[in-house]
Amino acid sequence: MAKLTDPITILSGIGPAKAKLFAALNIHTLEDLICHFPRAYEDRTRLVPIGELDQDRYACFRATVMSTPKIAHVRKGLDIAKVQVADYSGRLTLTFFNNKYAVQNLAYGKEYIFYGMLVGDYVGYSMTNPVFEAIDSIPVATRRVMPIYPLTAGLSNAAVVKAVHQALAICDPPDEIIPEPVRQKYGILPADRAYFAIHQPASMQEAELAKKRLIFEEFFVFSAGLSLMRASRTQKKATICKSTDLSDFYHALPFSLTSAQKRAIDEISADLTRGTPMNRLVQGDVGSGKTMVAAAAAYLSVKNGHQAALMVPTEILAEQHFDSLTRLLAPLGLRLCLLTGSMSIKQKKLAREAIAAAEVDLVIGTHALLSDATVFSDLGLVITDEQHRFGVAQRSRLSAKGSDPHLLVMSATPIPRTLALLLYGDLDLSIIDELPPGRENVDTFLVDESYRARINSFIRRHAEEHHQCFVVCPAVEENDDLDIKAAEVWAETLQKKAFPDLRVALLHGQMKGAQKEGIMRDFAAGNADILVATTVIEVGVDVPNATLMVIEDADRFGLSQLHQLRGRVGRGSAKSYCILTSSTKNDQTLQRLKAFCKTNDGFRIAEEDLRLRGPGDFFGSRQSGMPVFRVASMNFDLPTLKAAQEASVFWIETLGTSETKEANALRVRIAELFRRAEGTMN
Ligand code: ADP
Ligand code: MG
């Protein structure tokens, strides 16, 4: 027997070259291979009579060879063989290109199972290069449910099927972690059966059951992990804030807060007086005024004699927050400082000395805050902005710089409440579901290619009024290289053909962090008119002068993602617009996009996204800092997710400290999941 941790090169047929291809799919060990789940299945179990074959659809059928294959040597390197087959319902000509195997193995008068696609033209019906197997053979490519795997260039589905088959034959699948009573209650397959059935299902139904089990398992682990974290937190002691008087703070504000902002601040105040560390997520749409909520929290912590830290994902954001918060809080007596990676060594040293000596009350910074060199005198509150960029471990690394400080996490990604409760089970939730008054909607239009000239003149008009424009190119099938190509080509086209007199800049995901920041900074400073980008601009930089967002092939994006992108404009006083282009003919997609044009409410959009596309998208691979869900790329349903959560909470509460084999395996898996999550950041 082999072990799950053995490299895949122990399998026959996998040498260094093949291994490299597998590595491109992040498959190194037998376990990786066994956990490389099919993205779809083809039902080849049903045999269709020839007379009932549908045009342009793959199907299996059983037929007798009615002629000896005849080879025509068309030209050098091109041999064509034709063969007649028939069953009781009809007759069909099969064509094989350069296929010696077929010619040698299809025998006149014998029956075979074929799998192929029927095509029709003016001559009649035919089929090209079907696969076939003898009727008494072991089913490999016909008469079974065929798993279809995520692949990479050079690696065929058949090669993956073969490798997985071997792996399952020589080692045991991962250990069971879901206790028997839970499996019973929720109708969940045992682990060993599920791992086989996901790869080699006897029927489509069995494939579904296996999928359900593995999705359940993944969320069970995740949710159990969150429950454990929550449990360990409530045993901790935090500093108690005695004063929650915010009147000076409220007076200093240039506007009055919305009631949603006030509610969030009240919830935070209550947390701070409680004695266990606050662990709160503030969710609010772009522009809902989360910074003020963070400022209020920082103000309270400082007024009660403790330091506060605000961590943000980019240097530009850090600088923007530092400027606006200094304006607000310095007059109230708070001492602020900035700490980012690009500051000079001397500047950083001075900042860190001041932090350690308690000469600073509120530190605003990037990952530089996490460095061992940053030592706080008395850190009472940790705030992270745009939380989906930071993982659990990064948050706790910052928290470890105080003694169980309060934690406030802010997110601009609206997630439906039901889902947020599942995803952030270790956090309490405040939702800011209201925008400051007077905020104008970003007018949004959906157009097709026939509007190209008008789009361009719209862009030009904005540029002439000294405003700026974003143009976002879509993700091309999760392939970063192609994304970049598309954006590059488009930037060049716009620069050369449409706007030779304007300044077109380009931003994409494979640029280094500093380069990206440089380009954004330049754009924010007004040094380009048009910024062509892949979705990397999603995370928040304020360019109030940008008034137009053009999203190409908008049908390729999820609604929530479109909403994030649209949030990049409409941040200044000028009226802003968003144009979605799409040439899709799909009715449902068009409806989805039209609905998007009609509302600017992120939570409603998220609910709609959840309804239409299921929860999978909210766990998309781009959402870094979240655990990487292996099965989440498959469609799954909310009830399964909820059941898994319910089951895990029950399990932790009743058996969390038990030493059964399953409980121990579960603890190992939880640790693995959160470690993998950390690996996805940056
Ligand atoms: P986000 O939630 O996206 O972080 P910000 O905190 O950056 O939003 O706020 C967006 C803008 O709205 C800022 O310019 C801020 O000063 C302003 N703002 C915040 N709260 C209010 C309010 N209650 N009334 C008016 N303007 C506000
Ligand atoms: Mg913000």
Side-chain angles (χ1 to χ4, degrees), residues 350-669:
L350 285 176
R352 284 183 172 131
E353 280 168 6
I355 296 166
E359 288 157 12
V360 165
D361 303 309
L362 172 58
V363 189
I364 297 161
T366 55
H367 291 85
L369 285 172
L370 297 175
S371 146
D372 286 338
T374 314
V375 177
F376 287 81
S377 160
D378 175 17
L379 181 61
L381 170 69
V382 166
I383 308 171
T384 62
D385 198 4
E386 308 294 352
Q387 63 75 33
H388 63 285
R389 300 268 296 210
F390 297 110
V392 177
Q394 275 178 319
R395 290 202 305 252
S396 49
R397 239 167 92 197
L398 189 52
S399 293
K401 293 183 182 291
S403 98
D404 295 327
H406 297 288
L407 178 68
L408 186 64
V409 175
M410 302 200 290
S411 167
T413 314
I415 296 180
R417 192 174 189 105
T418 39
L419 213 51
L421 290 174
L422 299 177
L423 272 180
Y424 303 110
D426 63 326
L427 302 172
D428 297 313
L429 189 62
S430 293
I431 292 184
I432 309 188
D433 50 5
E434 184 184 356
L435 292 183
R439 203 56 67 74
E440 257 195 279
N441 279 342
V442 176
D443 283 354
T444 307
F445 303 96
L446 174 65
V447 300
D448 61 21
E449 212 37 52
S450 70
Y451 282 72
R452 185 57 65 192
R454 271 185 273 180
I455 297 173
N456 284 350
S457 58
F458 201 54
I459 293 177
R460 179 169 293 284
R461 216 177 76 206
H462 281 259
E464 278 165 2
E465 286 165 9
H466 305 290
H467 286 306
Q468 291 160 284
C469 168
F470 291 105
V471 176
V472 177
C473 295
V476 183
E477 310 207 340
E478 296 285 301
N479 181 330
D480 279 340
D481 289 342
L482 289 179
D483 288 2
I484 289 156
K485 189 86 194 121
E488 265 171 4
V489 168
W490 196 234
E492 202 180 310
T493 310
L494 288 180
Q495 179 73 82
K496 289 208 173 124
K497 302 253 167 68
F499 308 109
D501 53 327
L502 297 180
R503 298 160 300 173
V504 180
L506 172 70
L507 183 70
H508 63 67
Q510 252 167 40
M511 292 172 166
K512 291 264 177 323
Q515 194 187 1
K516 273 191 273 197
E517 293 231 353
I519 291 169
M520 272 318 293
R521 211 183 288 273
D522 242 27
F523 186 66
N527 294 333
D529 304 296
I530 301 168
L531 182 66
V532 178
T534 55
T535 50
V536 291
I537 58 159
E538 232 184 280
V539 168
V541 169
D542 217 3
V543 186
N545 192 44
T547 50
L548 177 58
M549 165 66 65
V550 179
I551 305 174
E552 299 290 345
D553 295 317
D555 48 281
R556 308 255 194 106
F557 296 89
L559 291 186
S560 296
Q561 203 180 8
L562 288 176
H563 182 67
Q564 287 296 307
L565 290 169
R566 179 168 61 181
R568 300 296 104 217
V569 298
R571 305 185 140 223
S573 48
K575 176 81 196 159
S576 293
Y577 301 88
C578 174
I579 297 179
L580 313 177
T581 79
S582 171
S583 9
T584 183
K585 297 274 181 290
N586 184 309
D587 247 1
Q588 207 196 344
T589 308
L590 284 172
Q591 263 180 28
R592 197 162 62 84
L593 293 175
K594 279 181 190 154
F596 176 78
C597 292
K598 287 203 195 98
T599 178
N600 272 245
D601 179 341
F603 283 98
R604 269 184 56 191
I605 289 167
E607 294 282 356
E608 187 67 6
D609 222 9
L610 179 63
R611 196 177 66 76
L612 289 171
R613 315 211 321 169
D617 278 6
F618 291 93
F619 306 89
S621 57
R622 282 156 207 271
Q623 183 103 329
S624 53
M626 281 283 305
V628 186
F629 290 104
R630 279 171 159 149
V631 208
S633 53
M634 303 180 188
N635 287 325
F636 60 94
D637 54 310
L638 214 48
T640 303
L641 188 51
K642 281 189 181 153
Q645 196 214 17
E646 187 186 290
S648 73
V649 170
F650 164 77
W651 170 231
I652 293 292
E653 279 170 1
T654 57
L655 295 157
T657 53
S658 74
E659 291 292 333
T660 61
K661 194 162 159 273
E662 283 152 2
N664 288 330
L666 176 61
R667 279 188 278 269
V668 171
R669 283 285 291 283

Side-chain angles (χ1 to χ4, degrees), residues 221-226 229 392-393 627 669-679:
V221 175
F222 175 60
S223 190
L226 294 184
M229 281 179 354
V392 177
R669 283 285 291 283
I670 290 170
E672 267 171 21
L673 179 68
F674 286 97
R675 204 168 43 241
R676 251 196 299 145
E678 298 316 317

